[in-house]
Amino acid sequence: MKRAGFAQPWLPMLLLLPQLTIIVIFFYWPALEAVRSSFYLEDPFGFGSSFVGLENYQILLESREYRRVALFTLFFTLCVTFFSLAIALLLAVKADKVLRGATSYKTLLMWVYAIAPPVAGLMGAMLVNHSNGMITHLFGAAGYEFRNGLNYSDTAFTMILVAIWKQIPVNFIFFLSGLQSIPVSLREAAKIDNKSGTSRFWTITFPLLAPTGFFLLITNITYALFDTFGIIDVVIKGEPGNNPLTLVYKVYVDGFRGNDLGGSSAQSVVLMVLVLALTVFQFRLIEKRIHYT
Amino acid sequence: MQKRSIIPIVYILFLLLPIYWLVAMSFKTTNEILSGFSLFPQTFTLEAYRTIFTDPTWYWGYINSIIYVSLNTVISITVALPAAYAFSRYRFLGDKTLFFWLLTNRMAPAAVFALPFFQLYSAVGIFDTHLAVALAHCLFNIPLSVWILEGFMGGVPKELDETAYVDGYSFPRFFMTIFIPTIKAGVGVAAFFCFMFSWVELLLAKTLTAVAAKPIAATMTKTASSAGYELGLLAAAGTLTIIPGAIVIWFVRNYIAKGFAMGRV
């Protein structure tokens, strides 16, 4: 039997049209534009641009500075992703026993989520402020002079710390929801079967959290790579100088400050390829939907 | 029980300490900030807040941010509602692939789009307008809204649509008067995430504006990098940017839990 309903064949297309239009104008067109301008060299005095083929990419790959930035980005992403996931998981497991369904607690965590990255960066900058920062004082007490913005590794430390601090609540809430969706009967059965809490965690809880974990892994990598712009901008006070930068920040610095449109576009394309790889990976993951229950 | 709660409490402290530090600093005098370490404001002052509320470059930052964020939320939800309905109710060739492909647009790095957007907007003449930022943020917020709304729509039985059809409702009338009120929780959650994203995004908002539509975060980062580095003023500005988010979160806190439970956030 054919079911009654709003079934005109043109209706779904009409409903999708606004979204598709926006995606084409604001996604595909700019993306193609970035690819196109990556093949051109902008005249430094603004007299048009000339086609240089792959030269921008060649310069990029040979640039030692770019390699240094890429290496730091890798280090930064690994640190932020690993620590924010690990700490959030640990906390979620500990809190799970105490906080079954405590909404006010989650609301509190959401507030950290609502803090803009530049404001988070500002908080970090204040904690490491040379004259009166709390962290500077702590390091000072331990006999180390902490110099944010002057010492390369100190600045990197601040950036990583702030980025982790900002991301933990998001991961925490997801892990907590994941934990609380594990059926009570399963937990009890595991309790009867198994002796130690640690082995119970690694053999039962951890695999059950895998879908949440994979999803968060991708989210965190994306976050560390792209969404930390605001944090970095404030921590280094907008002065790239000798400070650690990530790839995204370098695109901004070269394109808007240095007016190297071609080079910046080439870097954008490199980032896009990176995102494409991550996207395909995530796509496969969603399709497969790792499920155990 | 007592021992168990230690870890969450320590964590809450770790989380809130920087926020406290920011708020406390906003009430300190410049002298006190520069003179060294103090846990509480010794002399309580509202000077920083007074500056923000009287200096147009500061308070216009807030107004600009609020304008483009609201504009973006309205556009995103208006575009996302019909699209989400299409994905939720119709089966067509490649619908699932299209759904996920559109969703992944959200992962696109803003940095890639900053330059092309800048050129596009300059050419069309909407550079440095609220609309420029609002439209740019749609790129990220529409896919997210479609994803959230589609989840909520999936929970509404198809019989609702069929009954309305049999009763002789036209599609637009059904959609506006019956369907949207049914999923208003979903609209709230989607609007919340649009609001949050647009409110905290800096890169596009900073590069697509110059003076007239400059967001508060850009004013802040500019002050942060200028020579004076007025910490008290910055702390007050930072504190004020947290407030709108906190208010919105308070209103949608129960719905958000639902959104998280669906894994759709």
Side-chain angles (χ1 to χ4, degrees):
Chain A
M1 193 186 85
K2 196 173 178 293
R3 302 184 80 173
F6 302 100
Q8 296 88 335
W10 45 264
L11 191 58
M13 283 304 125
L14 188 72
L15 294 172
L16 282 174
L17 197 64
Q19 189 192 7
L20 294 176
T21 315
I22 287 195
I23 293 300
V24 169
I25 298 176
F26 291 97
F27 185 83
Y28 289 103
W29 185 83
L32 288 174
E33 187 59 26
V35 174
R36 194 193 64 85
S37 75
S38 75
F39 295 126
Y40 283 83
L41 185 68
E42 201 78 13
D43 184 276
F45 300 104
F47 298 124
S49 50
S50 49
F51 184 80
V52 292
L54 290 170
E55 204 184 298
N56 284 324
Y57 292 93
Q58 201 186 346
I59 294 171
L60 205 60
L61 290 175
E62 282 167 5
S63 152
R64 277 183 63 191
E65 202 206 336
Y66 189 73
R67 223 173 301 159
R68 201 172 72 125
V69 171
L71 219 59
F72 176 74
T73 309
L74 184 71
F75 174 71
F76 178 81
T77 308
L78 282 177
C79 280
V80 172
T81 308
F82 176 77
F83 284 110
S84 52
L85 281 175
I87 297 172
L89 180 61
L90 178 76
L91 290 165
V93 170
K94 293 292 175 198
D96 180 37
K97 297 161 189 155
V98 196
L99 296 159
R100 307 226 110 225
T103 328
S104 55
Y105 191 73
K106 285 187 191 169
T107 312
L108 202 65
L109 289 172
M110 288 301 292
W111 279 354
V112 174
Y113 181 72
I115 292 171
V119 179
L122 180 66
M123 287 179 192
M126 284 177 173
L127 288 172
V128 298
N129 186 265
H130 196 67
S131 60
N132 64 346
M134 218 182 267
I135 293 177
T136 316
H137 271 256
L138 280 176
F139 273 104
Y144 178 78
E145 198 195 348
F146 193 90
R147 297 186 307 165
N148 180 55
L150 293 171
N151 183 312
Y152 186 88
S153 50
D154 288 355
T155 314
F157 176 82
T158 312
M159 276 161 52
I160 292 169
L161 190 73
V162 175
I164 293 172
W165 175 83
K166 174 100 175 69
Q167 188 61 10
I168 287 177
V170 182
N171 295 343
F172 177 84
I173 296 175
F174 273 102
F175 275 133
L176 198 64
S177 320
L179 281 171
Q180 304 199 334
S181 66
I182 296 174
V184 183
S185 56
L186 206 67
R187 291 158 177 266
E188 280 168 357
K191 241 178 198 168
I192 295 165
D193 281 355
N194 220 322
K195 319 106 229 161
S196 80
T198 326
S199 86
R200 214 159 57 223
F201 174 77
W202 289 112
T203 53
I204 311 286
T205 317
F206 193 71
L208 282 170
L209 277 178
T212 315
F214 277 122
F215 166 75
L216 283 179
L217 184 67
I218 302 284
T219 320
N220 278 267
I221 292 174
T222 326
Y223 161 80
L225 284 175
F226 309 128
D227 297 344
T228 45
F229 175 83
I231 297 176
I232 295 165
D233 195 31
V234 177
V235 168
I236 66 170
K237 299 176 189 171
E239 291 300 326
N242 194 30
N243 284 317
L245 300 178
T246 63
L247 291 172
V248 165
Y249 203 85
K250 188 143 170 56
V251 171
Y252 166 75
V253 170
D254 289 356
F256 283 89
R257 299 268 189 83
N259 269 325
D260 175 15
L261 296 186
S264 177
S265 298
Q267 293 180 36
S268 301
V269 174
V270 172
L271 280 182
M272 256 194 283
V273 172
L274 206 64
V275 176
L276 206 64
L278 274 172
T279 306
V280 170
F281 184 61
Q282 191 190 33
F283 197 42
R284 290 265 174 85
L285 223 64
I286 292 173
E287 270 184 340
K288 278 189 188 155
R289 269 281 179 198
I290 308 146
H291 268 312
Y292 294 93
T293 40
Chain B
M1 198 65 206
Q2 285 301 315
K3 221 181 117 203
R4 276 176 165 184
S5 8
I6 288 174
I7 286 183
I9 288 169
V10 169
Y11 173 49
I12 288 285
L13 283 178
F14 163 77
L15 211 57
L16 295 183
L17 198 66
I19 302 178
Y20 168 76
W21 196 242
L22 183 81
V23 176
M25 196 169 279
S26 73
F27 292 117
K28 289 178 185 172
T29 57
T30 313
N31 269 341
E32 191 187 337
I33 293 170
L34 294 177
S35 68
F37 185 83
S38 65
L39 207 52
F40 303 102
Q42 307 291 317
T43 35
F44 188 86
T45 173
L46 289 171
E47 197 47 52
Y49 290 94
R50 195 170 300 130
T51 310
I52 288 172
F53 285 114
T54 50
D55 182 349
T57 51
W58 277 109
Y59 67 74
W60 265 103
Y62 284 100
I63 299 172
N64 288 333
S65 289
I66 289 170
I67 293 175
Y68 74 70
V69 168
S70 313
L71 202 59
N72 167 265
T73 307
V74 172
I75 299 173
S76 298
I77 297 291
T78 315
V79 173
L81 269 170
Y85 184 82
F87 282 121
S88 157
R89 291 297 196 255
Y90 298 102
R91 294 289 149 260
F92 47 89
L93 191 68
D95 56 349
K96 286 213 173 62
T97 315
L98 184 66
F99 182 67
F100 284 117
W101 192 250
L102 289 178
L103 176 69
T104 50
N105 280 347
R106 191 179 161 258
M107 283 170 56
V112 173
F113 296 93
L115 268 176
F117 278 169
F118 177 78
Q119 287 159 346
L120 173 71
Y121 288 156
S122 304
V124 187
I126 58 167
F127 172 73
D128 197 19
T129 61
H130 301 110
L131 188 65
V133 185
L135 283 173
H137 285 171
C138 279
L139 172 64
F140 305 92
N141 280 340
I142 292 176
L144 182 69
S145 305
V146 171
W147 169 246
I148 293 170
L149 288 170
E150 200 266 346
F152 276 88
M153 287 176 182
V156 179
K158 277 193 176 141
E159 281 72 21
L160 184 77
D161 313 34
E162 287 158 10
T163 315
Y165 180 75
V166 172
D167 284 350
Y169 274 83
S170 69
F171 180 76
R173 189 157 155 249
F174 156 73
F175 199 70
M176 300 304 289
T177 61
I178 299 177
F179 197 74
I180 292 180
T182 316
I183 55 148
K184 60 176 189 288
V187 175
V189 173
F192 164 74
F193 280 96
C194 291
F195 177 91
M196 275 338 296
F197 175 86
S198 195
W199 184 254
V200 305
E201 204 280 334
L202 175 66
L203 181 64
L204 286 173
K206 186 176 174 173
T207 48
L208 298 178
T209 57
V211 183
K214 195 175 183 176
I216 182 62
T219 315
M220 276 178 61
T221 51
K222 192 160 176 255
T223 312
S225 58
S226 69
Y229 210 52
E230 298 168 85
L231 283 172
L233 195 58
L234 275 171
T239 308
L240 288 174
T241 64
I242 301 176
I243 292 172
I247 294 172
V248 179
I249 284 181
W250 181 254
F251 277 115
V252 294
R253 66 190 185 285
N254 295 323
Y255 295 136
I256 289 177
K258 198 179 165 193
F260 272 116
M262 297 193 316
R264 289 257 156 144
V265 171

